[in-house]
Amino acid sequence: MVNIESLFTYTVGQYEAIDHLLSMGVGAHFAALVFFFLTSRFVAPRYRTATALSCIVMVSAGTILYGQSGLWETAFTYNPVSGVYEPAQATFSNGFRYVNWMVTIPCLLTQLLIVLNIRGADLFRTATLLILLAWGMIITGYIGQLYEVDDLSTLMIWGAISTVFFIGMNWIVGTRIFRAVPDMPVTAASPMRKVFWLMMFAWTLYPLAYGIPYFEASATGVVIRQAFFTVADVSSKVIYGLMITYIAIQRSAAEGFEPAMQVTDLLPQRGTVAS
Ligand code: RET
């Protein structure tokens, strides 16, 4: 199915802005992958799965963005006569993103529960509930975006149904975070609260991008949409993953895990004399 991206022609500036945003997204995710891989040894085994999940998210999202950037380049060709990029043979689609979220969102939610120290049956129950809500949100959103060119009211109805799942999921995430914060070491509690607000900001950009065909169906709207997607991707996966790993290291240090104590300066440096 066609997305509004394939309906317009783009100035060189608009075309390149989107091309660069998509490539920047690829670079950010693969760079962060190296960071998560290298820092996982500072995280206690108890929390290390959280960092491992970030690695999975980086590979999955980096790969899909690489595909999106290649697709953008084949979906439009430059016309030297008019001086603009025009739709070519391939059809650009944001649908790949939605399918990718089926994998990445469960990883993002589970890593959150792990650093909140939710374990055992509670972890299984809460993760299952959150993942089902997320999948409900994604599937209904995926169906809705198929209508963005032909039928805006159907787009908005599916968007509204998807938002019900979204609100339910955020409600559970918020209650679990704010319930766990009082029992966390102070060094981890403050970044944990910030993670909640980061999620609210970054995750809300996705429905805004979804609604662009309704509010601004034009080449400018497409640039705004791809900018929203990129900011949302880097915030909800890369920055979020960095904060989750930071929290995991702080918790590890507070619980006496030596490599974490070394990087957080809780252990005296070798060779220094305590007075
Ligand atoms: C949709 C459809 C319209 C309504 C809502 C949506 C929410 C999407 C969200 C996506 C989050 C994606 C993440 C990806 C990480 O890899 C499906 C656009 C509410 C919240 C975090």
Side-chain angles (χ1 to χ4, degrees), residues 98 101 104-105 108 137 141 159 162-163 166 203 206-207 210 236-237:
Y98 290 67
W101 298 340
T104 51
I105 298 186
L108 294 171
M137 173 187 85
S162 174
T163 305
F166 180 52
W203 291 44
Y206 291 103
Y210 174 95
S236 71
K237 289 174 271 215

Side-chain angles (χ1 to χ4, degrees), residues 187-198:
T187 46
S190 152
M192 195 71 238
R193 276 189 222 100
K194 293 193 181 106
V195 162
F196 176 74
W197 294 112
L198 175 74

